[in-house]
Amino acid sequence: MNRLILAAAALAALTLGAQAQSYKIATEGSYPPYNFTDDSGKLGGYDVDVGTEMCKRAGVECSFIVNDWDSIIPNLLAGNYDAIMDDMSITDERKKTIAFTDPYFPPDPSTFLTLADKKVDYANIKGMKLGAQKATIQANYLESNLKDGNTILTYDTQDQEMADLNAGNLDIIFLDGSVVGEAVSASGGKLKADGPEILIGDGVGVGMRQTDTELTKKFNTALQSMKDDGTLDGLITKYFPDKKGGPFYKK
Amino acid sequence: MLVDILPQGLKDFLGQDLVFWLGYISNGKHLNWYASVQYTLAAMVLGAAIALVVGLVAAAARSNGPLPLRWFAAAYINIVRGVPDVLFFLFFPLAFEQAVEWVYSFQVCTPETLALNAGRWPPCDAANISFSSFGYLILASVSLGLVYGAFVASVIAGALRAVPAGQLEAARAYGMTRMQVLRRVHIRQMWVYALPGIANVWMSIVKATSLLSLLQILDFVAWAQRLGAANFSRAAGLVHDDWRWRYYFVLLVFYILVTFVSEKIFGAIGRRLRRGMPLAEQNAT
């Protein structure tokens, strides 16, 4: 009997220990409105709010850390942190190296951003300077579809390509449709969203190591409950007021 | 915000615009920026201290050490001086981390876990080590110390040769051993001749600290880049254009200030070291 109590106590201690385990989630901190460093110096944005709530519901402690986009997958594999939440689209190519949770943002058509007075024939783009952020689905798309006759430039961060577009060093940027809205309205009429919307990727998921199946399951359950009770939809309308087609997840 | 504590009278005097900008440059993210100077300064001081020790040891080993040690010191000085500091900065912390993981893997990996990770790094998941920013700061300082230690070594080697031979012969004549001559006379007098060269190396170390952000340390430079980047998201705060040049300008002023102050300090040290050394005083004038 004593032994049984001892075993139960040990088990309880073990599960308590597991619950108190703390995970690190990496984000870029410079991809608004998904993630950014706000004026008070704290990380904020859609990724951060979703991640915080997801961890709370999964019963794990999480903290966000900043990591550059182009090294974000290698550093996950190296074990410097346990998850990626950085508007990372779920693609077959990425699935070869990392795992994803269920999506927490619906598939988002990519679109073109250009100067307001610029006329572009999108069916036949030739002789243009095209920009995208390094190692993104958009950069991949440009490489495989629009490489002939155009110059493709890739950037470490999104604000750098915006700066180059504003300065006239680029003709067109190709980027996530959900990011374009605010960029256009903040430009005061200088920029416009333009051309066709192109759907690439299967929505945005939390990037995980393929070996961490338990944690992935926990996060999936937490995300599902956030989808069911409308929390996720609330966060989407909060950060992406322009996004059409809701409700996205609530039943 | 910090400006909130200003008395109303002063705020009226300054005007709304100025109070707003004062508030902006004293908000949380700017305070983070100012606080990040500590990493830059820590890397300067720690890097310089390591460079000095490494340089002194290498120079002494090359001029006075036993033969294999002399070769080793000469090889270190000549090879490391020829490597760009940026490359060493990227190479050393990574190589060090993987070397530690490799050694560690012999203790913690089992054949099964090794097979699971075959062809990948780390050898097994348990052998993975990740350094904190603080760890990288130490590694960055060590890298600086190793690169610039080679320069310090050649400065000191030159200074050791500049000490008048008569001084050393006199010390030998008093019956001091080789080590005693080195410690009591040679190195003591060497500093006067080494100081201008060491001051130069210090300036290089100061400037090389701007590379810290390469190791993902959120230092003075990295924050300037972040704060200057155009912001178009209202949720992230004040919407503004690309302001990077303004922040880079502050960096320029910061580095010029540091080098200016260092020059003054080295001047004062030099004057103090030359006191009572007629030979060196003659050379200096």
Side-chain angles (χ1 to χ4, degrees):
Chain A
M1 188 65 199
N2 263 346
R3 206 174 282 174
L4 203 69
I5 294 170
L6 209 66
L11 198 70
L14 271 178
T15 46
L16 271 180
Q19 262 176 7
Q21 193 172 1
S22 160
Y23 295 102
K24 282 192 270 188
I25 305 177
T27 193
E28 187 185 347
S30 55
Y31 199 72
Y34 285 95
N35 55 76
F36 49 74
T37 313
D38 66 14
D39 274 354
S40 70
K42 287 195 207 58
L43 283 173
Y46 180 73
D47 289 324
V48 177
D49 278 8
V50 172
T52 310
E53 180 65 20
M54 176 184 78
C55 289
K56 207 171 101 193
R57 295 194 184 198
V60 294
E61 216 172 281
C62 296
S63 55
F64 272 86
I65 62 160
V66 170
N67 195 94
D68 286 346
W69 169 257
D70 61 354
S71 63
I72 210 161
I73 289 182
N75 282 347
L76 172 74
L77 297 175
N80 293 5
Y81 37 79
D82 307 289
I84 300 169
M85 292 187 78
D86 193 359
D87 183 30
M88 187 175 272
S89 293
I90 304 170
T91 63
D92 290 336
E93 204 182 336
R94 286 181 183 140
K95 273 189 195 162
K96 283 177 202 157
T97 45
I98 60 172
F100 284 97
T101 63
D102 297 335
Y104 64 89
F105 192 83
D108 179 35
S110 302
T111 191
F112 297 92
L113 185 67
T114 181
L115 295 172
D117 51 6
K118 188 136 199 139
K119 295 222 169 12
V120 182
D121 174 15
Y122 284 93
N124 186 24
I125 299 178
K126 276 276 175 290
M128 294 267 178
K129 281 191 188 145
L130 307 171
Q133 193 175 352
K134 251 178 216 166
T136 56
I137 50 175
Q138 288 86 11
N140 264 346
Y141 181 88
L142 293 184
E143 275 299 322
S144 45
N145 295 296
L146 291 166
K147 201 174 176 197
D148 289 336
N150 297 301
T151 315
I152 295 168
L153 297 162
T154 57
Y155 295 80
D156 283 334
T157 61
Q158 184 181 232
D159 57 82
Q160 289 170 359
E161 53 178 355
M162 296 274 190
D164 256 13
L165 180 68
N166 275 306
N169 300 337
L170 276 178
D171 296 309
I172 312 172
I173 296 178
F174 189 42
L175 74 177
D176 283 316
S178 52
V179 178
V180 169
E182 265 199 309
V184 170
S185 63
S187 75
K190 197 176 176 195
L191 303 177
K192 65 174 177 193
D194 204 17
E197 296 194 323
I198 300 165
L199 197 64
I200 26 181
D202 301 325
V204 173
V206 184
M208 308 288 296
R209 276 185 294 268
Q210 284 169 339
T211 45
D212 288 344
T213 46
E214 277 306 305
L215 190 59
T216 309
K217 257 188 226 159
K218 260 193 216 171
F219 282 169
N220 275 337
T221 318
L223 284 174
Q224 193 56 50
S225 91
M226 289 167 69
K227 287 175 183 173
D228 292 344
D229 69 5
T231 313
L232 212 51
D233 280 9
L235 287 173
I236 292 175
T237 31
K238 178 182 168 195
Y239 283 105
F240 307 93
D242 304 334
K243 189 155 177 71
K244 294 180 271 294
F248 305 99
Y249 290 114
K250 193 171 190 277
K251 287 190 188 109
Chain B
M1 261 199 287
L2 276 178
V3 278
D4 295 340
I5 59 172
L6 293 178
Q8 190 58 44
L10 185 60
K11 275 194 203 168
D12 292 341
F13 172 72
L14 292 172
Q16 241 179 5
D17 274 6
L18 202 57
V19 169
F20 170 78
W21 289 114
L22 278 179
Y24 185 68
I25 61 166
S26 64
N27 64 18
K29 69 178 178 185
H30 281 81
L31 292 183
N32 280 344
W33 183 37
Y34 309 140
S36 66
V37 176
Q38 59 181 306
Y39 302 121
T40 308
L41 294 178
M44 276 179 206
V45 174
L46 200 58
I50 297 171
L52 201 58
V53 172
V54 169
L56 199 54
V57 170
R62 193 170 76 165
S63 62
N64 285 46
L67 201 56
L69 202 62
R70 206 178 297 181
W71 286 340
F72 182 75
Y76 160 72
I77 293 169
N78 290 323
I79 291 173
V80 175
R81 272 199 308 167
V83 178
D85 49 5
V86 185
L87 273 186
F88 202 77
F89 220 72
L90 292 171
F91 163 80
F92 177 74
L94 196 67
F96 180 81
E97 184 179 339
Q98 298 212 345
V100 172
E101 283 174 340
W102 184 70
V103 172
Y104 192 47
S105 71
F106 288 104
Q107 290 171 29
V108 294
C109 292
T110 59
E112 293 87 56
T113 55
L114 278 176
L116 205 64
N117 252 21
R120 277 187 294 170
W121 195 267
C124 72
D125 286 342
N128 175 59
I129 288 172
S130 64
F131 290 112
S132 58
S133 295
F134 179 73
Y136 272 117
L137 187 63
I138 300 290
L139 282 177
S141 306
V142 174
S143 314
L144 283 178
L146 288 178
V147 173
Y148 288 101
F151 288 89
V152 172
S154 55
V155 166
I156 289 181
L160 284 174
R161 278 195 297 275
V163 174
Q167 298 275 340
L168 307 180
E169 282 161 16
R172 291 288 290 172
Y174 269 101
M176 290 188 201
T177 64
R178 256 173 91 95
M179 275 317 278
Q180 278 174 333
V181 175
L182 184 70
R183 260 190 9 247
R184 291 182 183 169
V185 181
H186 207 164
I187 290 184
R188 294 270 169 103
Q189 297 201 20
M190 168 276 290
W191 289 116
V192 187
Y193 303 101
L195 201 67
I198 288 179
N200 265 340
V201 177
W202 162 257
M203 300 293 182
S204 307
I205 293 178
V206 167
K207 290 188 285 179
T209 54
S210 58
L211 302 172
L212 285 183
S213 55
L214 286 180
L215 296 177
Q216 298 248 359
I217 298 168
L218 268 178
D219 70 333
F220 205 44
V221 177
W223 268 109
Q225 217 157 8
R226 275 164 171 263
L227 297 183
N231 175 37
F232 53 83
S233 166
R234 257 152 292 148
L238 183 73
V239 172
H240 63 78
D241 276 346
D242 188 355
W243 281 354
R244 275 175 301 180
W245 74 264
R246 292 171 173 82
Y247 286 88
Y248 291 161
F249 186 74
V250 175
L251 295 184
L252 296 187
V253 173
F254 167 76
Y255 275 105
I256 287 172
L257 267 180
V258 173
T259 45
F260 178 75
V261 170
S262 327
E263 240 173 275
K264 295 276 162 224
I265 292 176
F266 274 107
I269 297 176
R271 274 192 301 280
R272 200 187 152 79
L273 278 183
R274 282 198 298 273
R275 276 198 317 194
M277 292 192 65
L279 255 179
E281 235 156 9
Q282 275 165 20
N283 288 353
T285 48

